Amino acid sequence: MSKPTPSPAAPLADNGDGVPPHLFRKAVEQAALAISITDARANILYANGAFQRTTGYGQEEIVGHNESILSYRVTPKLVYETLWAQIQRQRPWNGLLVNKRKDGSRYLADVTITPVVNEDGLTTHYLGMQRDVTEVHRLERQVQNQKTLIESVVDAAQVAIVLLDEKERVLLDNQEYKKLIGDLGKEPAAKLLDAVRTQMGDAYTKAQERHRNIAAREVCIESANRPARWFSCAISWFEEHDVGADAFYEPLRRHYLLLTIQDISELKRQQEALRINSLRALLSEQERIQGLRETLAGAVYQLEGPLNMLSAAAHMLERRLSNQAPASHKSAAESIPASALGEAIQKSREALETLRACIPNESDEALQNVDLNVVLADVLKLTTGSLLGAGIVVEWQPSARPAIVSGHLAQLSNLFKQLISNAIEAVNERRGGRRELRIFCNARPDHIEVFVEDSGPGIAEALRYKVFQPFFTTKGAARQHLGLGLAMAQEMVSRHSGTIDIDPAYHTGCRVRVQLPCVAGGNHV
Ligand code: FAD
């Protein structure tokens, strides 16, 4: 009986010894990995095709040579010492060696050496496997260099930069951002993003969904024991392919958020100082014009009284003379005083008209929506020096929601400046006792109410209405008071269709209440 010929698909192990030796040889010869077999001193006994292709040496050229033929002599001695120490302990070694080919060109070899041990436990041979990883290394180094470059640039940037993952965890940050951690506490990015989200509302979610960049959003971070800080935040979203093994065949995208933060507190402080200074200049100009208007109007008013009396007296005189004798019998001496008086009255009227014409026009400031909370805060800033100088404790309570009225900004600012200046003077008048100024703003559904309270001597009940009359003063002309302040305040309030009064029930100083109609729908929640 003839032995059946095994089919090509039959298991090779069927021959009893497992894989036949010639198959091992073929597999090694044809392997894509460069393989060499050496004796115990690294002299090459065999090198496969891939080894020849990698090194440029043919089988005959390399066999009998030591593996050191490949050494380019820049690999540190310590690497070889470690290699030998490891393989002599009969442990495999893996590492990177700089090799040179037959043609002198260099390559980086990822080498694995495995000792081959005989039945007596002695190392008789070594199996060397190597791969040219020059290109991989070049790419790795390039990526590393770029990463280092980007990190250095990001670190050197004068703005804080932070990269966050989808759960807004910090992945990368720079020195400026680290400084913010010291200033704002543990997670400045979270605080700033919250502030941007609150400011933008739905627009933030839309920008995030569409990955639309958000440019230069100015947000304010308040802290209990430090002045408020202002930051300009820019946000960009981008995505990257996941580099994990799981995503090799099924690409996943990771989303990142890049937040750039610029501290603009100093700029804001300068802008604010500039704004307050121009407001101060505007108010003093307004005050000057208003004062001039009131003074001239008052003077015209004061002069009109005696002039009217003089006119009446002239009429009486004229009537008496005409009753005493017919005009033809009037002596020249009698008619001279009457005509002179008439002429004087005429001249006086002309002078009065000239004076009236000199009254400057009211400023043509535009009507706009004005938040009284902002006006009062600004006026308090303007009067900080006087308040500190007088040692007055200020309690300022803005309304919970915006207190919007339709009005003239400068006039309303002047109104409250006048009331606060009055309050400071009143407190200064009282020696000893509390030195307090309280300002409250309440936004009612149809009007805004502002209270200015001081701990001064107060205003006697009998004078509560008189104090609003022009030229009425409780302080006397000697103290350079024209008594126009409250009159002007009342005029400004009237121009805004509001009311101003002094609370009769308030006995521990003076409480002035100003009520102004609010913008329709402007103060509803
Ligand atoms: P040295 O390290 O100073 O050694 C001089 C000689 O002694 C060399 O022949 C060396 O092989 C041998 N030798 C050194 N230490 C011992 C020891 N403890 N026991 C026995 N013999 C020792 N080197 C490369 O640069 N590139 C390679 O691709 C490479 N592949 C290798 C593959 C195998 C399988 C083995 C075993 C070694 C390989 N080596 C390789 C190491 C190489 O043999 C040298 O050690 C190395 O090149 C340093 O050369 P050198 O002239 O400074 O020799």
Side-chain angles (χ1 to χ4, degrees):
M1 240 170 87
S2 65
K3 226 176 161 187
T5 323
S7 76
L12 294 163
D14 276 357
N15 63 12
D17 286 338
V19 184
H22 72 271
L23 187 60
F24 271 110
R25 190 175 178 96
K26 268 202 179 328
V28 171
E29 257 171 25
Q30 292 171 23
L33 205 62
I35 297 174
S36 61
I37 298 170
T38 72
D39 65 12
R41 295 193 64 81
N43 295 313
I44 300 170
L45 305 175
Y46 167 83
N48 73 351
F51 187 95
Q52 293 166 42
R53 286 193 294 279
T54 306
T55 63
Y57 290 106
Q59 174 84 353
E60 299 75 31
E61 289 171 306
I62 198 80
V63 169
H65 283 281
N66 193 275
E67 293 272 7
S68 64
I69 194 174
L70 298 174
S71 173
Y72 181 58
R73 306 283 159 200
V74 292
T75 307
K77 213 168 168 46
L78 183 69
V79 176
Y80 296 123
E81 285 168 8
T82 315
L83 177 164
W84 280 104
Q86 183 83 349
I87 60 177
Q88 280 184 330
R89 267 189 259 132
Q90 295 189 339
R91 289 199 189 136
W93 176 88
N94 171 259
L96 295 174
L97 301 173
V98 181
N99 278 354
K100 79 170 185 307
R101 298 188 184 87
K102 184 185 168 189
D103 63 7
S105 62
R106 274 83 60 196
Y107 68 97
L108 188 71
D110 181 355
V111 181
T112 302
I113 302 172
T114 314
V116 181
V117 181
N118 68 10
E119 300 76 25
D120 300 327
L122 296 171
T123 305
T124 55
H125 299 86
Y126 291 110
L127 171 71
M129 290 175 287
Q130 59 171 271
R131 219 159 40 95
D132 180 350
V133 291
T134 314
E135 189 55 20
V136 176
H137 169 74
R138 194 184 65 78
L139 290 173
E140 266 176 15
R141 209 10 91 83
Q142 208 171 10
V143 169
Q144 190 59 43
N145 287 350
Q146 277 173 0
K147 190 169 172 266
T148 312
L149 188 75
I150 291 168
E151 278 173 1
S152 321
V153 171
V154 166
D155 243 4
Q158 292 299 300
V159 291
I161 298 173
V162 59
L163 181 70
L164 307 170
D165 68 6
E166 280 148 350
K167 292 188 175 152
E168 293 185 0
R169 286 174 302 211
V170 174
L171 298 178
L172 183 86
D173 59 9
N174 69 348
Q175 287 304 321
E176 285 296 312
Y177 183 78
K178 288 190 177 75
K179 280 190 212 160
L180 281 185
I181 299 175
D183 292 352
L184 296 183
K186 210 168 169 253
E187 220 40 275
K191 271 190 193 148
L192 290 162
L193 282 178
D194 275 351
V196 173
R197 270 191 282 258
T198 311
Q199 194 189 85
M200 291 183 68
D202 286 348
Y204 180 90
T205 322
K206 280 189 192 134
Q208 187 175 24
E209 280 166 6
R210 292 173 198 164
H211 282 194
R212 218 176 36 222
N213 291 352
I214 296 174
R217 278 269 149 191
E218 292 185 359
V219 292
C220 180
I221 302 289
E222 312 259 4
S223 63
N225 41 14
R226 277 165 176 251
R229 300 269 302 267
W230 280 90
F231 298 94
S232 170
C233 297
I235 298 171
S236 9
W237 282 277
F238 60 92
E239 49 185 34
E240 187 196 66
H241 287 291
D242 190 342
V243 289
D246 295 356
F248 190 78
Y249 289 111
E250 284 175 16
L252 284 174
R253 283 176 188 278
R254 288 193 178 279
H255 299 272
Y256 298 96
L257 184 156
L258 184 72
L259 176 63
T260 316
I261 310 152
Q262 194 166 8
D263 189 342
I264 52 165
S265 308
E266 189 49 42
L267 187 75
K268 278 276 170 189
R269 263 190 287 280
Q270 284 170 8
Q271 282 176 351
E272 181 64 2
L274 208 67
R275 196 178 67 80
I276 292 292
N277 276 343
S278 27
L279 183 65
R280 180 177 285 123
L282 180 73
L283 290 199
S284 65
E285 179 59 12
Q286 272 258 328
E287 219 171 343
R288 193 184 65 78
I289 292 174
Q290 187 71 13
L292 204 59
R293 270 179 58 77
E294 297 293 332
T295 312
L296 290 175
V300 168
Y301 171 77
Q302 296 286 330
L303 289 174
E304 261 172 348
L307 194 61
N308 286 342
M309 282 169 72
L310 224 77
S311 292
H315 277 302
M316 276 168 65
L317 185 66
E318 211 172 301
R319 224 175 295 136
R320 198 180 302 156
L321 286 173
S322 63
N323 287 347
Q324 278 172 2
S328 53
H329 294 160
K330 256 193 258 172
S331 71
E334 276 172 331
S335 56
I336 285 169
S339 68
L341 193 62
E343 206 173 310
I345 290 170
Q346 180 55 31
K347 289 280 178 224
S348 303
R349 290 233 175 270
E350 282 169 18
L352 216 58
E353 281 317 306
T354 312
L355 206 58
R356 203 173 266 127
C358 288
I359 297 175
N361 288 335
E362 270 179 45
S363 76
D364 51 358
E365 199 194 348
L367 206 64
Q368 55 181 302
N369 281 359
V370 179
D371 187 346
L372 290 187
N373 285 332
V374 177
V375 170
L376 287 162
D378 283 353
V379 172
L380 277 171
K381 273 183 207 154
L382 282 177
T383 46
T384 304
S386 318
L387 288 163
L388 285 175
I392 294 173
V393 178
V394 179
E395 187 185 337
W396 156 227
Q397 219 172 289
S399 62
R401 51 179 199 261
I404 314 287
V405 299
S406 170
H408 303 286
L409 177 66
Q411 284 181 25
L412 289 171
S413 306
N414 252 333
L415 159 70
F416 292 109
K417 188 166 170 262
Q418 183 61 54
L419 297 183
I420 291 172
S421 302
N422 285 358
I424 296 173
E425 275 187 29
V427 173
N428 280 342
E429 259 176 52
R430 189 178 244 181
R431 302 207 183 280
R434 294 174 301 120
R435 302 178 72 76
E436 290 169 356
L437 168 68
R438 283 179 294 276
I439 299 171
F440 303 100
C441 181
N442 300 321
R444 305 275 178 222
D446 58 345
H447 70 279
I448 309 294
E449 186 175 63
V450 176
F451 290 99
V452 179
E453 294 175 7
D454 66 62
S455 59
I459 293 176
E461 199 168 343
L463 302 179
R464 268 195 293 123
Y465 298 106
K466 274 194 130 179
V467 287
F468 291 106
Q469 287 174 8
F471 297 103
F472 177 85
T473 174
T474 55
K475 288 157 189 159
R479 287 164 66 188
Q480 306 226 318
H481 273 278
L482 284 177
L484 284 171
L486 281 178
M488 273 160 55
Q490 186 161 47
E491 201 203 318
M492 286 187 255
V493 170
S494 305
R495 263 190 236 151
H496 287 84
S497 315
T499 59
I500 180 167
D501 55 31
I502 292 164
D503 185 355
Y506 194 75
H507 298 298
T508 52
C510 178
R511 176 194 275 161
V512 180
R513 180 179 61 168
V514 174
Q515 288 178 297
L516 295 169
C518 63
V519 171
N523 297 306
H524 290 286
V525 192

